[in-house]
Amino acid sequence: MTLKNDRFLRALRREPVDCTPVWLMRQAGRYLPEYRATRAQAGSFMGLATNPELACEVTLQPLRRYALDAAILFSDILTVPDAMGLGLYFADGEGPKFERPVRTPADIARLAVPDMGSSLRYVMDAVSLIRRELDGAVPLIGFSGSPWTLACYMVEGGGSKDFARIKSMALNEPAALHRLLEVTTDAVIAYLAAQRAAGAQALQVFDTWGGVLAPHVYREFSLRYLQRIAAELPRGDGADRTPLILFGKGNAPYLEDLAATGSEGVGVDWTVSLGEARRRTGGRVALQGNLDPATLYASPEGIRTEVKRALDDYASANGGSRNGHVFNLGHGMSPDMNPEHVRVLVDAVHEFSREG
Ligand code: CP3
């Protein structure tokens, strides 16, 4: 099926675009009153994520409001460890938790790649339904957590401030942690391949917690597995290739390494300028990012100024061309953000990038 709007995929192929494409991490979520209403109907976050009709509805909600250039599957990165038997639950106001965290080599030895056709069937059903409902309006992005980021939640049992348990495992039982990361990488590759088979037209890996590591530890426990994903994930050839984006919070020190993995895109946060990111990656990958999400707390004029600055920063390092840039925030949106400010941001990206 031909897409009505393919500028997101064109940008990832570094082809010319009429204006810079934009989507926002966590574009579906609690800042939207219609999301809160659907979530109330579902009863819980997992009730929403495991119901393909409702997951499809909340995926489409931000696209009805804003001129976004891509949809992202409504789901969560923790569906994979949940399907590996860890028992995901959301305690009210406390974020995600696992009933059975992975703490010992024996726990790790019991883990296996989950069956995509049964325990994660609901995700693939949501992908196919969203594709059908989008009807070619914009491409659909599928996603996974990175092996390191998933392992953080699996070992810590939930969110963490200091990552004491998984860092202890890296120091004292590195072989066991590598076994955990190997099986999780196999699961991530199977999960992304299944989303692609179900209809996802681009794939993003979220390495939310790679940035908490010292450089040599990052290279050993996070980067190595991102490299495996980029090398081994089947994604077609030529114009039909399904692009892979490696996003990482705090990945600025590793942009050269990430650009060399073979992924089509690299997503960056706001601690590096897009100009510097473009110079250091040398045009080998498309770049995605990178406004500080807090920019949405600025006035409409303040938001427009920052959008223009980011667009021009990229273009000035890219020989004056906007090709190869996907506009985004540097991390996800927060529940207290003003929906009207999102409109200002999205429209400003298109307006300023169309002007040349
Ligand atoms: O971007 C999108 O619109 C797609 C949906 C999406 C969600 N989670 C929905 C969600 C995506 C891409 C994710 C990924 C995710 N989940 C990450 C990586 C991205 C990142 O932010 O770095 C991480 C670390 C998680 C784990 C997770 N799930 C957390 C930390 C939370 C928040 C808990 C809270 O209460 O704030 C979740 C739950 C979650 N996932 C929500 C949403 C909209 C909010 C839960 C709710 O509606 O109650």
Side-chain angles (χ1 to χ4, degrees):
M1 191 216 304
T2 53
L3 280 161
K4 292 167 192 123
N5 171 355
D6 68 347
R7 54 171 87 96
F8 168 70
L9 295 178
R10 293 181 65 87
L12 287 168
R13 292 195 297 263
R14 289 169 283 132
E15 293 171 0
V17 282
D18 59 335
C19 62
T20 299
V22 53
W23 70 279
L24 304 174
M25 289 188 274
R26 290 275 171 100
Q27 63 192 25
R30 286 169 291 186
Y31 76 103
L32 289 175
E34 58 270 36
Y35 172 88
R36 296 195 296 269
T38 311
R39 190 178 172 305
Q41 191 188 330
S44 66
F45 174 77
M46 280 311 276
L48 180 53
T50 55
N51 179 319
E53 281 75 28
L54 296 181
C56 175
E57 165 59 23
V58 294
T59 299
L60 299 179
Q61 285 171 349
L63 295 145
R64 295 191 190 113
R65 279 187 184 243
Y66 314 117
L68 293 159
D69 297 298
I72 179 161
L73 163 71
F74 186 83
S75 187
D76 199 80
I77 63 168
L78 302 179
T79 54
V80 169
D82 183 50
M84 292 166 99
L86 275 66
L88 173 65
Y89 67 100
F90 285 84
D92 252 346
E94 284 182 63
K97 289 215 179 339
F98 287 117
E99 282 163 25
R100 292 172 292 280
V102 170
R103 294 275 158 79
T104 65
D107 293 339
I108 292 169
R110 275 193 292 273
L111 296 173
V113 175
D115 177 22
M116 300 299 146
S118 51
S119 55
L120 289 163
R121 173 70 181 269
Y122 67 91
V123 176
M124 310 315 151
D125 288 346
V127 170
S128 341
L129 182 60
I130 297 163
R131 268 301 297 274
R132 195 161 81 224
E133 294 293 315
L134 277 171
D135 195 25
V138 292
L140 174 63
I141 306 168
F143 68 89
S144 170
S146 73
W148 166 256
T149 293
L150 292 177
C152 285
Y153 287 97
M154 293 165 84
V155 172
E156 299 293 336
S160 175
K161 283 192 174 54
D162 56 9
F163 301 91
R165 285 194 171 95
I166 192 162
K167 287 186 176 185
S168 300
M169 197 184 279
L171 290 161
N172 299 312
E173 289 173 298
L177 181 54
H178 279 301
R179 281 198 298 280
L180 169 57
L181 290 164
E182 285 294 349
V183 65
T184 304
T185 301
D186 293 340
V188 165
I189 291 172
Y191 188 55
L192 292 171
Q195 290 182 50
R196 175 172 179 264
Q201 292 150 297
L203 299 164
Q204 174 156 317
V205 172
F206 288 85
D207 189 24
T208 307
W209 300 120
V212 305
L213 298 173
H216 65 289
V217 186
Y218 171 86
R219 289 199 167 84
E220 179 177 350
F221 292 100
S222 180
L223 178 64
R224 185 194 290 191
Y225 297 97
L226 296 173
Q227 288 165 332
R228 246 197 81 196
I229 294 166
E232 293 178 23
L233 177 66
R235 49 196 192 282
D237 294 302
D240 288 334
R241 190 165 172 84
T242 305
L244 171 71
I245 304 167
L246 299 179
F247 165 76
K249 190 81 172 42
N251 65 7
Y254 314 111
L255 294 179
E256 292 84 353
D257 308 86
L258 292 164
T261 58
S263 83
E264 286 67 34
V266 171
V268 295
D269 73 15
W270 58 96
T271 62
V272 62
S273 77
L274 285 174
E276 181 189 331
R278 170 61 184 79
R279 282 187 290 277
R280 286 178 38 208
T281 51
R284 288 187 296 281
V285 287
L287 288 173
Q288 178 175 278
N290 75 341
L291 281 196
D292 183 341
T295 309
L296 284 165
Y297 298 127
S299 66
E301 262 328 294
I303 293 169
R304 286 169 57 82
T305 303
E306 289 301 314
V307 165
K308 189 160 174 29
R309 185 203 311 275
L311 283 168
D312 292 349
D313 186 27
Y314 178 85
S316 62
N318 192 46
S321 159
R322 305 197 186 280
N323 298 351
H325 180 205
V326 173
F327 204 100
N328 206 315
L329 303 172
H331 200 198
M333 296 185 57
S334 300
D336 64 352
M337 287 171 169
N338 180 342
E340 280 316 306
H341 286 198
V342 175
R343 184 187 319 285
V344 171
L345 185 152
V346 170
D347 289 347
V349 173
H350 290 152
E351 178 191 328
F352 291 133
S353 60
R354 210 170 249 130
E355 280 168 4

